[in-house]
Amino acid sequence: MTALTGTVPEIVTAVCRSFAATAAAADAVAVARVVRGPSDLMGGALFVRADGSYAGGFGDTALEATARAEATVVLETGRTGTIEIGARGSRCGEHREGVLV
């Protein structure tokens, strides 16, 4: 696990570099991005490898844990899409963030 700190652009840049290195090694990966929700989460990125390791984050550990779990499913099934994740990482509730995996 690699938790990244810094501004959203710095984190996204680091995640993209990690993605490029993994892609060059031909390993399966998923990239999760917050595409809808509170402004402080928007643009956050999480890079998840098939072995469960990850880089990046959203600044919300519960949301990150749920996004990692969903990204693992995406990797196992070979699918992609927008996943609705609720406040504090819940899979139900009124206030949901859109996480693109």
Side-chain angles (χ1 to χ4, degrees), residues 7-70:
T7 66
V8 168
E10 291 168 340
I11 291 171
V12 170
T13 298
V15 167
C16 289
R17 286 184 181 141
S18 187
F19 176 79
T22 301
D27 293 332
V29 299
V31 177
R33 300 274 324 260
V34 177
V35 296
R36 184 175 55 252
S39 61
D40 60 325
L41 296 177
M42 288 296 296
L46 186 66
F47 172 82
V48 182
R49 296 173 191 88
D51 67 5
S53 62
Y54 66 94
F58 307 131
D60 180 313
T61 55
L63 180 61
E64 290 166 11
T66 302
R68 281 195 317 272
E70 293 295 333

Side-chain angles (χ1 to χ4, degrees), residues 67-91:
R68 281 195 317 272
E70 293 295 333
T72 300
V73 171
V74 166
L75 286 169
E76 291 171 354
T77 62
R79 296 180 152 218
T80 187
T82 301
I83 300 167
E84 301 283 336
I85 299 176
R88 298 187 183 146
S90 70
R91 292 292 287 141

